């Protein structure tokens, strides 16, 4: 690939040439260097034929370039799928399960169980009215605690496992989550008490314990899924640059499949144990069988998940280990945590603030359902009606999940715009009925009310719910990525807690007045503080972080500080002034040389190849050959280039 814009190297390392040092030899050397390094440093999915980064292109050329790359990639994938079908018709399904279903299994179980809590409450109110409805024999406080302690358990898990995931590693965090969820499901299935109030208390604490495992799934699934897409090699992959967001959000959308499966099992279970009828009165025996079987089924799936994570995911924390090795940290990197809040504090405001707003909206979506069911089905006494509408709503949500996964890596739309548009659409969809609630609740206009209900679910998934999960890990450095994601997710769950408490004390009209503004708040926070990482090579973000970690922020000149990948706040602070693609090209070559030479020095000192053999194998053979020749000509093999001095050329 040609790249005439880049005077690639400064000539400090030369291939062997003729003694007269003629211009033709230097031109030959430059061409040799370009042929070796351009495919690695200027990949054709991010740079055009002139070596210009896609975000530096004029708007129309950028649009054309992105569409051309996306169309070619879609065609390549379709051909690949066609070849798979030709060889084995079921192989695409097994590949989908391997790439997306298994990594997202924990979130699928989370969606299943947590969605079940809201679905079971009306069943319990019908079957145990003196306990769950009138509170004559059960404490109203403990009944209310079903929702509160569940959320509190999730918050504890998000914070605790997020820290442990950065401390002990992703694999141990994933295993721990699966074990806690399995034990929690056994507790939920077997929950009982001498009295009904005792049963409720046991049920509540089982939910709290299970919630700890669920909370840990958020940072662990996001970080491990993303880092597996990026890989631990020295050179980034096409998969990372083009499909990193899809890989993470496709695992996240298993949450929707979990909700769908739970609703189906509850519907079938109630029909089976209530003699084929969905109408009350429900016997306590039918309710108990329905509820306990619905928790026993995912317990079996969670036990398999424990096995899979113990025996089939040995490399889940490889990139974290590599990042820690680079900065020579073995335990928890407290210094990186401090620097993250110093340099990336506004990003934390963006991820945590947007997640908080999203969870208030997510709970607000439920405001529509009870009202339109009351109009469509007056005097309705069956819980099956609500469950069936839930089923339709989950189906609509799944469409949003998949569309988000489809477009989240598209550079012409991407993460930031998807989140802003989703927030603003929900803002409008809640504002319209807020000021005309009685109008839309009338029988003549109830269908419009229903449409707004389903559309608010769609734009919640095709927007902030999918994006917050991804970017809360993506915009932070590897050493504290799980912690940052856990903090953002915990603040988000505080939004759910606020909604759960607030909605108990205000009427429906007031709720509609309050909820829309969280959509507007989320859009504003996203616009001001969230950087757009669509199309950004995360290896570049790690290079920038290594400079920051050494106190040399101004020495990084790559695409991680390109204005397109910075927030509005960061651009106003002038972070983008360090962007210099020509100087960055030279630095990246020198960093590659330095890494290669250190591996050679270690081999020479130890006298064995061992684990270091993998380090050189990260580079193509022609790169290693080039470094062998130029290092031999310029300095002894094993010499080092101090990385913090690589950018000294910027001052000349």
């Amino acid at each position: 690939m040609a790249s005439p814009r880049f005077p690639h190297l400064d000539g400090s390392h030369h291939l062997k040439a003729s003694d007269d040092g003629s211009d033709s030899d230097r031109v030959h050397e430059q061409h040799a260097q370009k042929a070796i390094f351009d495919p690695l440093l200027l990949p054709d999915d991010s740079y055009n034929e002139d070596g210009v980064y896609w975000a530096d292109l004029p708007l129309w050329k950028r649009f054309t370039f992105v569409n051309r790359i996306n169309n070619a990639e879609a065609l390549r994938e379709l051909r690949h799928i066609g070849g798979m079908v030709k060889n084995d018709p079921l192989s695409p399904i097994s590949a989908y399960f391997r790439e997306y279903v298994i990594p997202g299994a924990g979130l699928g179980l989370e969606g299943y169980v947590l969605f079940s809590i809201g679905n079971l409450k009306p069943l319990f109110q019908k079957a145990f009215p003196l306990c769950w409805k009138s509170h004559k024999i059960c404490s109203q406080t403990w009944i209310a605690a079903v929702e509160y302690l569940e959320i509190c358990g999730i918050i504890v898990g998000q914070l605790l496992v997020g820290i442990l995931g950065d401390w002990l590693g992703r694999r141990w965090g994933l295993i721990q989550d699966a074990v806690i969820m399995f034990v929690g499901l056994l507790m939920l299935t077997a929950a009982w008490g001498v009295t009904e109030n005792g049963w409720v208390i046991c049920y509540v604490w089982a939910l709290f314990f299970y919630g700890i495992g669920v909370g840990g799934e958020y940072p662990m699934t996001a970080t491990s899924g993303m880092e597996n897409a990026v890989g631990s090699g020295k050179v980034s992959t096409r998969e990372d640059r083009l499909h990193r967001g899809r890989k993470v959000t496709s695992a996240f959308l298993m949450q929707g499949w979990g909700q769908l499966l739970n609703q189906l099992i509850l519907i079938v279970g109630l029909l089976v144990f209530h003699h084929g009828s969905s109408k009350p009165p429900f016997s306590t025996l039918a309710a108990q069988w329905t509820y306990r079987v619905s928790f026993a089924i995912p317990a079996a799936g969670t036990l398999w998940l424990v096995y899979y994570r113990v025996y089939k995911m040995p490399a889940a924390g490889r990139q974290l280990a590599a990042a820690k090795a680079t900065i020579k940290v073995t335990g928890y990197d407290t210094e990186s945590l401090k620097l993250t809040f110093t340099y990336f504090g506004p990003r934390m405001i963006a991820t945590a603030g947007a997640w908080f707003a999203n969870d208030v909206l997510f709970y607000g979506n439920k405001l529509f359902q009870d009202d339109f069911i009351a109009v469509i089905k007056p005097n309705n006494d069956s819980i099956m009606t609500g469950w069936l509408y839930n089923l339709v709503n989950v189906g609509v949500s799944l469409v949003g999940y998949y569309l988000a996964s489809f477009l989240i890596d598209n550079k012409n739309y991407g993460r930031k715009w998807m989140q802003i548009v989703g927030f603003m659409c929900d803002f409008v969809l809640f504002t319209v009925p807020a000021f005309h609630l009685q109008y839309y609740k009338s029988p003549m206009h109830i269908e419009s009310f229903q449409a707004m209900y389903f559309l608010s679910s769609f734009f919640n998934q095709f927007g902030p719910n999918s994006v917050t999960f991804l970017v809360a890990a993506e915009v932070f450095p590897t050493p504290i990525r799980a912690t940052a994601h856990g903090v953002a997710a915990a603040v988000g769950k505080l939004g759910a807690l606020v909604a759960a408490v607030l909605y108990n004390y205000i009427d429906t009209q007031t709720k509609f007045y309050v909820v829309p503004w969280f959509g507007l708040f989320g859009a504003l926070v996203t616009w001001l503080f969230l950087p757009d990482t669509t199309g950004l090579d995360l290896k570049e973000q790690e290079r920038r972080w290594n400079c920051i970690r050494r106190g040399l922020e101004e020495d990084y000149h790559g695409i991680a500080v390109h204005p397109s990948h910075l927030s509005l706040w960061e651009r106003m602070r002038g972070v983008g002034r360090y962007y210099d693609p020509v100087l960055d090209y030279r630095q990246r070559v020198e960093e590659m040389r330095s890494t290669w030479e250190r591996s050679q020095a270690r081999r020479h000192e130890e006298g064995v190849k061992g684990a270091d053999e993998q380090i050189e194998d990260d580079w193509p053979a022609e790169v290693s050959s080039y470094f062998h020749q130029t290092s031999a000509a310029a300095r002894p093999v094993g010499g080092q280039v101090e990385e913090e001095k690589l950018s000294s050329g910027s001052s000349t």
Side-chain angles (χ1 to χ4, degrees):
M1 171 171 46
S3 179
R5 285 194 173 211
F6 290 89
H8 297 287
L9 295 174
D10 57 7
S12 58
H13 304 287
H14 298 283
L15 292 165
K16 291 183 178 180
S18 60
D19 294 336
D20 60 1
S22 65
D23 290 341
S24 63
D25 291 326
R26 287 195 171 90
V27 170
H28 173 73
E29 178 186 339
Q30 286 188 353
H31 280 298
Q33 292 165 348
K34 284 166 56 62
I36 293 170
F37 292 110
D38 276 14
L40 294 174
L41 303 185
L42 306 176
D44 60 5
D45 55 78
S46 298
Y47 294 81
N48 71 359
E49 61 277 4
D50 295 324
V52 181
Y53 188 53
W54 67 268
D56 285 323
L57 294 169
L59 184 60
W60 178 249
K61 288 186 177 181
R62 179 193 307 182
F63 182 82
T64 304
F65 174 80
V66 169
N67 281 345
R68 177 171 59 80
I69 296 298
N70 289 344
N71 292 340
E73 182 67 10
L75 183 61
R76 184 194 67 80
E77 290 191 318
L78 287 173
R79 286 174 175 168
H80 179 66
I81 294 171
M84 293 173 67
V85 171
K86 185 177 180 180
N87 294 327
D88 179 358
L90 296 181
S91 60
I93 298 175
S94 62
Y96 180 83
F97 270 76
R98 185 174 58 254
E99 291 293 323
Y100 305 126
V101 175
I102 293 176
L107 286 168
L109 291 164
E110 175 258 353
Y112 181 102
V113 175
L114 296 189
F115 195 66
S116 180
I117 306 308
N119 285 333
L120 286 171
K121 187 174 181 179
L123 176 62
F124 290 159
Q125 287 174 336
K126 297 289 186 181
F128 307 96
L130 295 179
C131 176
W132 285 81
K133 194 169 185 179
S134 63
H135 310 123
K136 290 182 179 180
I137 61 174
C138 295
S139 167
Q140 185 174 359
T141 301
W142 281 110
I143 296 296
V146 169
E147 292 185 6
Y148 302 159
L149 276 181
E150 169 201 348
I151 295 173
C152 290
I154 294 173
I155 292 173
V156 170
Q158 288 166 335
L159 295 173
L160 179 63
V161 181
I163 294 172
L164 290 175
D166 286 330
W167 187 3
L168 302 178
R170 312 296 191 230
R171 180 171 179 262
W172 294 109
L174 288 165
I175 293 171
Q176 172 187 271
D177 288 341
V179 170
I180 292 175
M181 288 193 296
F182 175 66
V183 175
L185 282 168
L186 293 181
M187 293 168 63
L188 285 167
T189 303
W192 197 250
V194 176
T195 64
E196 287 190 25
N197 194 58
W199 163 52
V200 171
I201 294 172
C202 185
Y203 179 70
V204 166
W205 284 113
L207 276 175
F208 175 82
F209 185 82
Y210 181 82
I212 295 174
V214 166
E217 276 299 296
Y218 282 78
M220 289 299 96
T221 301
T223 53
S224 62
M226 180 180 304
E227 289 165 3
N228 288 341
V230 174
S232 59
K234 301 298 186 295
V235 182
S236 66
T237 64
R238 190 181 185 91
E239 181 73 14
D240 166 43
R241 295 187 297 269
L242 295 181
H243 304 305
R244 183 178 66 244
R246 184 181 71 182
K247 188 175 183 66
V248 176
T249 53
S250 293
F252 177 64
L253 66 79
M254 288 304 300
Q255 184 184 68
W257 282 110
Q259 294 172 2
L260 186 72
L261 183 61
N262 170 256
Q263 194 65 84
L264 288 171
I265 287 176
L266 284 177
I267 290 172
V268 173
L270 185 60
L271 291 174
V272 169
F273 297 118
H274 194 50
H275 312 295
S277 173
S278 62
K279 296 181 179 179
F282 302 108
S283 69
T284 57
L285 185 63
Q288 289 283 357
W289 272 105
T290 302
Y291 132 68
R292 294 183 190 280
V293 169
S294 73
F295 284 139
I297 291 173
T302 309
L303 181 60
W304 176 86
L305 188 63
V306 173
Y307 156 77
Y308 185 84
R309 289 179 174 179
V310 170
Y311 293 102
K312 303 296 183 179
M313 299 183 69
R318 184 176 294 171
Q319 187 176 345
L320 175 64
K324 285 186 174 183
T326 300
I327 57 179
K328 297 179 174 60
V329 172
T330 54
Y332 188 82
D333 191 357
T334 54
E335 182 63 24
S336 286
L337 184 64
K338 294 176 185 177
L339 289 171
T340 295
F341 280 99
T342 300
Y343 286 90
F344 295 153
R347 296 187 178 194
M348 185 65 73
I349 294 173
T351 56
W355 210 324
F356 182 92
N358 174 67
D359 272 32
V360 175
L361 285 171
F362 181 79
Y363 274 75
N365 175 259
K366 299 177 182 179
L367 298 177
F368 288 90
Q369 183 170 306
D370 291 339
D371 282 321
F372 76 68
I373 289 178
V375 175
I376 295 173
K377 298 272 189 178
N379 304 317
N380 173 62
D381 199 32
S382 173
I383 63 172
M384 194 64 72
T385 303
W387 284 2
L388 290 173
Y389 273 112
N390 277 342
L391 199 61
V392 175
N393 192 42
V394 172
V396 172
S397 296
L398 275 170
V399 176
Y401 276 118
Y402 274 100
L403 192 57
S405 179
F406 181 71
L407 290 177
I408 203 160
D409 287 311
N410 189 306
K411 300 180 184 72
N412 290 327
Y413 191 53
R415 285 96 153 123
K416 188 167 184 174
W417 277 112
M418 185 180 292
Q419 182 154 298
I420 291 174
V421 170
F423 270 130
M424 290 305 298
C425 286
D426 276 346
F427 169 68
V428 172
L429 289 166
F430 278 97
T431 301
V432 170
F435 294 95
H436 300 280
L437 187 59
Q438 297 308 315
Y439 173 84
Y440 285 107
K441 286 173 62 177
S442 66
M444 291 181 61
H445 304 100
I446 197 64
E447 291 182 356
S448 299
F449 197 67
Q450 274 185 283
M452 287 185 283
Y453 164 63
F454 292 127
L455 283 171
S456 67
S457 289
F458 171 80
F459 281 108
N460 183 254
Q461 311 310 330
F462 180 50
N465 199 41
S466 295
V467 178
T468 50
F469 181 81
L470 170 63
V471 298
E474 197 175 44
V475 300
F476 297 107
T478 300
I480 52 83
R481 181 171 286 151
T483 302
H485 192 281
V487 169
V491 173
K493 276 294 175 280
L494 284 176
L497 189 61
V498 167
V501 174
L502 181 65
Y503 294 169
N504 287 329
Y505 297 97
I506 58 178
D507 59 22
T508 301
Q509 177 66 75
T510 306
K511 293 172 187 175
F512 271 101
Y513 283 144
V514 171
V515 171
W517 305 106
F518 286 94
L520 183 60
F521 169 76
L524 289 174
V525 166
T526 302
W527 172 71
L528 184 59
F529 294 119
L530 184 69
D532 192 351
T533 47
T534 308
L536 174 63
D537 181 350
L538 283 194
K539 297 289 186 184
E540 285 300 300
Q541 186 160 277
E542 292 307 303
R543 287 183 62 231
R544 182 193 175 199
W545 178 250
N546 289 335
C547 287
I548 292 175
R549 191 70 169 68
R550 299 194 308 271
L552 299 170
E553 179 192 13
E554 68 280 0
D555 284 359
Y556 175 76
H557 306 285
I559 58 175
V561 292
H562 190 287
S564 293
H565 298 308
L566 298 174
S567 68
L568 177 61
W569 179 262
E570 289 169 333
R571 293 199 298 272
M572 290 191 299
R573 287 185 56 247
V575 176
R577 68 182 180 276
Y578 300 127
Y579 178 61
D580 186 336
V582 175
L583 183 56
D584 183 64
Y585 190 103
R586 297 170 182 167
Q587 288 181 335
R588 291 169 72 187
V589 173
E590 290 304 310
E591 288 170 10
M592 292 167 67
R593 179 190 299 277
S594 177
T595 301
W596 178 85
E597 289 182 343
R598 283 198 299 271
S599 72
Q600 297 300 300
R602 285 197 297 271
R603 289 185 182 186
H604 180 73
E605 292 169 3
E606 296 172 5
V608 293
K609 292 185 177 181
D612 285 326
E613 187 171 359
Q614 180 62 36
I615 296 175
E616 185 177 0
D617 288 343
D618 285 336
W619 309 114
E622 59 269 21
V623 174
S624 294
S625 176
Y626 174 82
F627 286 150
H628 267 296
Q629 295 180 56
T630 56
S631 292
R635 60 181 127 176
V637 173
Q640 291 191 13
V641 176
E642 294 292 336
E643 288 185 1
E644 56 266 33
K645 295 179 181 179
L646 290 178
S647 58
S648 60
S650 62
S651 61
T652 61

